Amino acid sequence: MSSVSSASVRLARPGGRRGYRVPVAIGSTISLLSILAVAYLLWPTWRAQPVGDPDRTPVSIGDTLFNVPTKAFRVKFQRHSGPQERVDLNFVYPSLAPPEKPKRATPDDVEEFHPIDRIFVSIAAHHDALAPETRLRTIYPRYLAPSSQQLDDGLTVRPFVEGSPYSAEDLITAAEPQLAARCTRDRQTPGMCISERRIDGADLTFRFPRQWLSDWRSVANSIDRLTAQLHAVRG
């Protein structure tokens, strides 16, 4: 009896091991198939995404929200969202697109004169300073020369008197489309113009070459477009 029992035990053990391994193998296979199925379904989301700045950066200046094209920032440390005291921007004229990364300058580029093809925009909190429209009506007339020049294309040019805070500048205005700008005169360097707008708690200052006033309607319309685009709040 003892030998028969020993034989039965020896015959039973291998069968017991096989009975244990089969469920484990089946469970492992099911787990592996599940992992492969999940991996297959998720595979499209594993593609590498390009790293870079978003197209627009929301900034708050004077508690006024602006949506700024990220490539338009002129100063690197200003290139972040949130409250700021001032930002300095530039746009290619006349497309008004933000400029691409500048290429490395060569000695030939330095020696050759390149006309300005940018319109520069600064947005700053005004802290209740006198509004641009108020200065145009009440401050500038005190320093203007009595004579004025009416150009054929609708521009009015009035020089500021010598010795005034705006000496060597002209006040250039037009009614339709509306434009008001202080412009330096062409001397050793080309004249530049400044035109200002106020939106809520911020003032926008636009700077551009005086020579662009030969097509002043395009300049005035570009200032209007940039003002609307920068202040556009997207949901």
Side-chain angles (χ1 to χ4, degrees):
M1 286 295 294
S2 177
S3 60
V4 173
S5 298
S6 300
S8 299
V9 171
R10 285 196 299 270
L11 291 174
R13 285 179 180 172
R17 289 195 207 94
R18 285 197 299 270
Y20 172 75
R21 290 174 180 171
V22 170
V24 172
I26 294 174
S28 300
T29 303
I30 293 174
S31 299
L32 180 60
L33 292 175
S34 300
I35 292 172
L36 292 175
V38 172
Y40 175 78
L41 292 174
L42 294 180
W43 179 261
T45 65
W46 292 354
R47 296 174 184 171
Q49 299 294 328
V51 178
D53 293 332
D55 291 337
R56 285 183 174 268
T57 301
V59 296
S60 175
I61 301 172
D63 294 327
T64 306
L65 183 61
F66 294 90
N67 261 321
V68 177
T70 304
K71 292 182 179 179
F73 284 95
R74 296 180 61 199
V75 183
K76 188 174 182 180
F77 72 80
Q78 295 176 345
R79 196 178 301 166
H80 64 85
S81 60
Q84 298 203 49
E85 183 67 18
R86 172 190 174 118
V87 294
D88 298 285
L89 317 170
N90 64 147
F91 300 87
V92 178
Y93 184 83
S95 70
L96 304 185
E100 297 297 329
K101 187 176 181 180
K103 65 178 182 180
R104 185 184 299 273
T106 65
D108 293 338
D109 294 328
V110 175
E111 294 178 1
E112 183 180 354
F113 172 75
H114 294 276
I116 298 175
D117 64 347
R118 308 286 174 87
I119 182 169
F120 301 96
V121 186
S122 295
I123 309 175
H126 58 69
H127 299 298
D128 296 325
L130 208 60
E133 297 83 359
T134 305
R135 285 201 301 273
L136 182 64
R137 292 194 314 268
T138 64
I139 303 299
Y140 294 159
R142 303 176 188 176
Y143 305 104
L144 288 171
S147 62
S148 63
Q149 182 182 5
Q150 185 77 36
L151 302 183
D152 293 337
D153 59 357
L155 280 183
T156 298
V157 180
R158 294 190 64 182
F160 288 98
V161 296
E162 295 298 325
S164 72
Y166 311 105
S167 181
E169 294 184 16
D170 297 321
L171 179 64
I172 299 178
T173 57
E176 189 59 41
Q178 195 172 39
L179 177 68
R182 283 183 11 240
C183 301
T184 59
R185 297 162 195 155
D186 292 332
R187 293 187 174 176
Q188 293 181 340
T189 57
M192 294 291 293
C193 295
I194 295 176
S195 183
E196 297 172 292
R197 301 283 180 89
R198 173 162 292 185
I199 298 179
D200 299 333
D203 283 346
L204 287 75
T205 302
F206 299 84
R207 294 177 175 83
F208 54 90
R210 181 169 179 154
Q211 63 184 6
W212 289 3
L213 293 177
S214 59
D215 186 13
W216 67 268
R217 288 180 176 83
S218 295
V219 175
N221 289 329
S222 295
I223 291 175
D224 289 340
R225 285 170 52 197
L226 277 176
T227 301
Q229 291 172 10
L230 289 169
H231 191 47
V233 180
R234 301 182 178 182

